[in-house]
């Protein structure tokens, strides 16, 4: 099993990257070494390309590379997204014997881009929420849940009830915003002060809202919390145990797509042979949270 894992990781991470594009022009990558690790040498037989790809020679991935450690650009390199999701997508393409191409897309444009068939899959840190599953298929790959961050030294936010009457920043358009709204509605129904919800387009803006004093807390997916705290220079701290970790990230395909079963099977292969666990470890994620 270990030998297969290293071989697949080598294919996924060792191929050269070509040019970069925006949400309408794809960036092509057959696989590239991430900035956090080095590629190994070796070869392994690849499965046949599945039915349902827009281009039978490539796997097109919609991704918003602004969400470390899942997907991000490292340093000044804006042509090579790295991170757990990006490297895992490369591994899936390598498993099928096709190159991986990127459709760089804003977070709120990911699902519309999939529906418009600008990409084969969305692999970009999206929850498998009921709303998304109503319009798309998804294969789970990583267990997760919301995390809460506050300014360092904050003492009056210790649990969910502490958020009553507080201003909380969140990246808009996702499940975390819905979680806040549900909690706020519960406060209102109980005669408590609601949450003032501040949605922003980008995670960096939610961080700035707290560090600048515009918000008292921010909600973000737990996989990103450690990275945000580490990069805050001591300005932010995580509050543990506020929300349950009972959600899963999914790789999305269009509803009823012929590609859907192949994506699910490919992720299962990469999980069972240890490839996803190795990539998770590379980016400081808990490999036991890989969806089985």
């Amino acid at each position: 099993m270990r030998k297969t894992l290293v071989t697949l990781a080598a294919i996924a991470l060792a191929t050269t990257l070509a040019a970069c594009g925006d949400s309408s022009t794809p960036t092509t990558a057959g696989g590239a070494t991430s900035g956090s690790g080095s590629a190994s040498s070796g070869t392994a037989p690849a499965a046949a390309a599945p039915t349902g790809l827009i281009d039978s020679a490539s796997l097109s991935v919609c991704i918003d590379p602004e969400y470390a450690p899942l997907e991000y650009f490292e340093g000044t390199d804006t042509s090579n997204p790295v991170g757990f999701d990006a490297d895992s997508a490369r591994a899936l393409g390598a498993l099928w014997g096709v190159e991986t191409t990127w459709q760089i897309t804003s977070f709120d444009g990911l699902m519309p881009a999939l529906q418009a068939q600008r990409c084969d899959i969305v692999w970009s840190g999206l929850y498998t929420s009921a709303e998304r599953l109503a319009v798309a298929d998804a294969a789970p790959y990583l267990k997760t849940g919301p995390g809460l961050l506050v300014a360092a030294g904050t003492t009056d936010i210790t649990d969910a009830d502490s958020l009553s009457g507080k201003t909380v920043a969140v990246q808009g358009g996702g499940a975390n915003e819905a979680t806040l709204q549900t909690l706020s509605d519960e406060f209102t129904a109980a005669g408590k002060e609601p949450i003032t919800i501040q949605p922003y387009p980008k995670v960096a803006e939610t961080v700035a809202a707290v560090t600048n004093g515009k918000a008292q807390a921010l909600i973000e997916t737990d996989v990103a919390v450690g990275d945000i705290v580490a990069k805050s220079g001591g300005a932010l701290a995580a509050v543990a145990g506020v929300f349950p970790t009972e959600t899963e990230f999914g790789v999305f395909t269009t509803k009823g797509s012929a590609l859907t079963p192949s994506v699910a099977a490919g992720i299962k292969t990469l999980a069972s042979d240890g490839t996803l666990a190795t990539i998770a470890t590379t980016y400081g994620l808990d490999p036991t949270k890989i969806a089985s």
Side-chain angles (χ1 to χ4, degrees):
M1 182 176 77
R2 187 71 174 175
K3 181 177 179 182
T4 305
L5 179 157
V6 171
T7 304
L8 282 174
I11 294 176
L13 299 177
T15 321
T16 341
L17 188 73
C20 175
D22 58 15
S23 61
S24 61
T25 305
T27 296
T28 303
T33 305
S34 80
S36 302
S38 58
S40 304
S41 60
T43 58
T51 301
L53 291 171
I54 296 170
D55 177 350
S56 62
S58 66
L59 170 64
S60 175
V61 183
C62 281
I63 193 168
D64 176 22
E66 300 213 15
Y67 193 44
L70 296 187
E71 47 268 331
Y72 60 101
F73 288 132
E74 190 166 55
T76 59
D77 183 357
T78 58
S79 63
N80 180 21
V82 297
F84 178 81
D85 288 351
D87 287 4
S88 296
R90 289 187 180 94
L92 182 61
L95 180 68
W96 291 342
V98 299
E99 64 180 352
T100 302
T101 64
W102 308 107
Q103 286 286 352
I104 306 303
T105 309
S106 64
F107 180 79
D108 58 1
L110 289 168
M111 293 301 286
L114 178 68
Q115 300 302 323
Q117 296 188 315
R118 297 217 312 267
C119 55
D120 296 305
I121 64 173
V122 171
W123 198 329
S124 192
L126 292 184
Y127 290 159
T128 55
S129 66
E131 294 77 12
R132 290 178 181 137
L133 292 175
V135 298
D137 295 330
Y141 66 93
L142 189 67
K143 299 172 185 176
T144 185
L148 194 74
L149 296 102
V150 297
T154 298
T155 58
D156 62 343
I157 298 178
T158 57
D159 55 21
D161 285 340
S162 305
L163 296 178
S164 173
K166 301 295 195 299
T167 298
V168 183
V170 62
Q171 185 177 33
N176 286 332
E177 185 177 9
T179 295
L180 282 181
Q181 188 60 61
T182 298
L183 180 59
S184 184
D185 291 344
E186 291 174 358
F187 288 151
T188 299
K192 299 178 180 179
E193 290 186 74
I195 300 170
T196 299
I197 301 171
Q198 286 186 349
Y200 293 90
K202 299 181 181 299
V203 175
E205 293 170 322
T206 70
V207 172
V210 176
T211 56
N212 293 337
K214 294 181 179 179
Q216 292 151 298
L218 72 92
I219 183 175
E220 189 45 70
T221 309
D222 59 0
V223 296
V225 166
D227 184 75
I228 292 172
V229 170
K231 291 178 178 177
S232 75
L236 297 176
V239 183
V242 176
F243 301 102
T245 55
E246 56 189 13
T247 312
E248 290 180 318
F249 286 122
V251 178
F252 289 82
T253 49
T254 54
K255 197 74 174 176
S257 170
L259 191 60
T260 296
S262 297
V263 170
I267 291 172
K268 186 174 287 292
T269 295
L270 296 174
S272 63
D273 70 17
T275 300
L276 295 185
T278 291
I279 297 172
T281 301
T282 298
Y283 291 99
L285 301 177
D286 182 355
T288 68
K289 289 190 175 183
I290 300 295
S292 57

